[in-house]
Amino acid sequence: MNDVGQMEWLLWLGIGMLLFAQSTGLFLHARSRGRKAWFWGLWGLTNFPSPLLTYLILQTWNARKQKRQTKSTGDHPEGETKDG
């Protein structure tokens, strides 16, 4: 019985450490990019891996969006448009 209780305690400790690490990583990365750091940090404490996957998908989407905007404005001089 003692082994089962100790294993359960270690499992809960591991889950807590995993959630804390995820939360800290999301918070620090979001803070460095200026994107609602407290939201991501708190949501990272609630479950795993949904907040992490959502954050990565949104970061990829935003990076592609910015790349497209930079590319579309950088190709043409001001006032000039591209046909077609």
Side-chain angles (χ1 to χ4, degrees):
M1 183 67 176
N2 192 18
D3 292 336
V4 174
Q6 186 176 5
M7 184 179 275
E8 184 177 320
W9 183 80
L10 289 173
L11 178 67
W12 284 111
L13 181 65
I15 291 171
M17 289 173 58
L18 179 71
L19 290 174
F20 185 73
Q22 173 185 259
S23 175
T24 302
L26 286 172
F27 176 81
L28 292 174
H29 196 267
R31 185 176 66 174
S32 71
R33 298 192 183 269
R35 299 184 189 255
K36 301 176 184 157
W38 285 103
F39 169 75
W40 291 108
L42 290 174
W43 191 29
L45 284 173
T46 61
N47 56 27
F48 180 82
S50 300
L52 181 62
L53 294 175
T54 304
Y55 183 79
L56 292 174
I57 289 169
L58 290 175
Q59 286 299 311
T60 304
W61 182 70
N62 284 336
R64 286 185 181 181
K65 183 178 174 183
Q66 287 178 353
K67 186 177 179 180
R68 270 188 270 130
Q69 288 176 349
T70 304
K71 186 177 179 181
S72 66
T73 59
D75 287 346
H76 308 293
E78 286 187 41
E80 190 177 314
T81 60
K82 181 178 179 182
D83 293 337

